[in-house]
Structures are given as C-alpha cells and as structure tokens.
Amino acid sequence: MTFAKAGDGALNYYPCRYGRSRLVFRGPKRTPEPPFCAVIGGSETYGKFVETPFPDLLEARTGMMTLNLGCLNAGVDAFLGDPAALELVARARVRVVQAMGAQNMSNRFYVVHPRRNDRFLRASGMLKALYPGVDFTAFAFTGHMLDLLRRSAPDLFPVVVTELQMAWQARMRTLAERLDGPKVLLVVRGAVDQDNVLGSAPVFVTDAMEAAVAPAFDRVVRVRVPPGARGTQGMVFSELEGPAAAAMPGPAVHEEIAAALAPVVVDLAGNVG
C-alpha cells in the first residue's frame, strides 16, 4: 500500500478536456492519431488510485494509441449528453465501452447532474408519491439517497431498481447506436461500489441486462474481480482516501482487464476496412 499524508494529492491525474467536450478526463492530454482506440467509462476506466490504468496497459499490449476517456463517477448520461465526446470516440478505430452502474442516471424517479452523474439534483413527483415521508432536499448524492430509500422501505425499493434497470438498458442501446464502428462492451464485476452500500459494481446491472444489450456491440469482454483481489496493494492514495481506494480495482485487476481486452481490440482493428 502506498499513501501520502492526509490532504496531499497522492496522484496527479492531469485532468483535461478534449475539444468542446465539457467532460473532464484523465490526462495528460493527448492528440489523437489514427488509428487509435477510445475507452469510455466511469471511475474504473479513469483508474482512480492507480498509477497505470488499464487503457494505458492496453496501449502497451496492442501498440495502438489508446485514449482514456473515463470520467469519475460517470453513468451513461455523461456521454450521451456530450456530443463532442461522442464525436471524438467516433473517430477511433475501435471503441471500448465500460458497463457503468445504473444508479447514476436520470430516470422517471430522479434527475442527476448531466456531467457529475453521482450528484442527485431532484426527485420527480412519482418518487415523492412513492416515498411521501422522505425529504429529498437533504440529498446531494445518488448513493446516499438510494441507500436511505432501500433501508426505509425495503418493499418499495425494487420498484425504483426496476426503473433504473429499464432506463439503463435503453440508454446503453442508444449509446451503442451512436458509436458507429467496432465496439466492445467491457463488464467488470465484483468490485464494491464506491459508496459501499448498493452492492457490487456495476450497480444494479444483472447478467440478464448485460445479455439484453450485448447484441448492440461487436464483442463482450467480462472480467470478474475475485474477493481475494480486493485491497489496496500497489494503489496510491492519501490517508483519508483509504476506504474509497479499497472499493476500487487495484493494479492487478487493471492488468487483467488489459490482457482480456488486447486480443479483442487487435482483432477488431484488423478487420476494419
């Protein structure tokens, strides 16, 4: 385990933007040079607390420039709501799309921030009617809000989860449709969600949901994080960030993801006319 003093920035992620995109990606910023691979996703793709995230390892394995377009705590909405980011991804030879959790998306029950998708903005009339005793103005984050709903009325919570799952499937199909060309769905299972209250990542995404959207992609790559792989060995974080680091995939998992993706990306890139 590696950590800096509390309050210090343990890693410099060189946050950057590309073109007119309003999303903040992990840097250093690069100039895309065809042919390149673009990887979009959430905190796992960003590589929080990891010096060399899997997009960098994938580039080393394939020899193809690989842009890390992961955003912290992102859901599908972050990319669907940013045409400039999708334009950049469209220029890639191969696109890798991480299956992000279903909790950080706007839906019929609540609205999230368009870029910082873990930020809860407001509840709909439907959700207020379902939970009349809850003061939704007290919430700033989706994880906190959903955990309270789950604990306060377990019998009602499946109604909320079902809505999120339906929205996730529709949104993932839409994203795939907008990414013309070879694309890979990356599913990383077994890590604990950052709030550590809603279950393992990708939150609320079942195997059946994965199977339902898989036909929209050319390939599906699955990586499961075994319980023994959890921990903070090799990760870089400040003392106060320890609990958050323990919820994220470590360097060994990033190596495994890159190893699983590399032959698929090389094959798809070679088949592009």
Side-chain angles (χ1 to χ4, degrees):
M1 177 182 68
T2 305
F3 62 87
K5 292 181 180 179
D8 289 351
L11 272 181
N12 187 344
Y13 298 101
Y14 301 97
C16 65
R17 289 187 173 91
Y18 286 96
R20 301 185 310 278
S21 174
R22 300 184 68 185
L23 297 177
V24 178
F25 305 109
R26 180 167 179 166
K29 187 175 181 178
R30 309 174 72 185
T31 300
E33 298 179 359
F36 68 93
C37 174
V39 185
I40 65 176
S43 300
E44 294 83 2
T45 297
Y46 189 91
K48 190 72 181 290
F49 309 120
V50 175
E51 289 188 278
T52 309
F54 75 80
D56 293 348
L57 298 170
L58 179 62
E59 177 171 322
R61 285 177 174 270
T62 64
M64 181 187 301
M65 172 184 272
T66 301
L67 286 185
N68 184 341
L69 300 180
C71 295
L72 291 175
N73 302 311
V76 186
D77 285 1
F79 298 96
L80 285 177
D82 195 306
L86 294 184
E87 288 174 10
L88 174 59
V89 177
R91 293 162 47 196
R93 176 71 65 91
V94 180
R95 304 130 192 92
V96 176
V97 180
Q98 177 199 344
M100 294 160 276
Q103 81 281 23
N104 292 337
M105 298 187 313
S106 292
N107 55 84
R108 292 186 299 172
F109 283 135
Y110 59 85
V111 177
V112 302
H113 190 282
R115 292 177 299 281
R116 304 182 69 175
N117 294 165
D118 62 325
R119 300 299 180 94
F120 172 81
L121 294 185
R122 62 184 178 275
S124 70
M126 290 176 59
L127 189 58
K128 292 177 181 177
L130 192 63
Y131 290 89
V134 174
D135 177 14
F136 288 97
T137 63
F139 301 115
F141 295 94
T142 58
H144 180 204
M145 184 267 296
L146 290 169
D147 180 47
L148 185 139
L149 298 186
R150 177 181 61 83
R151 290 186 288 106
S152 63
D155 56 325
L156 295 177
F157 194 60
V159 177
V160 178
V161 173
T162 297
E163 165 63 19
L164 297 180
Q165 292 175 328
M166 292 175 61
W168 184 90
Q169 292 176 75
R171 225 67 62 82
M172 284 293 289
R173 291 191 186 97
T174 299
L175 179 60
E177 290 171 0
R178 294 187 183 178
L179 299 178
D180 189 31
K183 46 191 168 286
V184 182
L185 175 63
L186 170 64
V187 184
V188 181
R189 293 194 178 278
V192 181
D193 79 279
Q194 190 163 343
D195 296 303
N196 202 21
V197 294
L198 299 177
S200 60
V203 175
F204 302 142
V205 177
T206 66
D207 290 342
M209 292 165 61
E210 173 196 323
V213 303
F217 295 83
D218 296 275
R219 304 284 181 85
V220 178
V221 171
R222 303 172 181 87
V223 176
R224 187 170 294 275
V225 182
R230 296 173 186 167
T232 58
Q233 184 175 2
M235 302 176 79
V236 183
F237 53 92
S238 67
E239 189 172 5
L240 293 178
E241 293 173 322
M248 297 298 298
V253 176
H254 280 263
E255 290 278 4
E256 185 176 350
I257 295 171
L261 281 172
V264 175
V265 168
V266 168
D267 184 49
L268 288 176
N271 289 332
V272 177

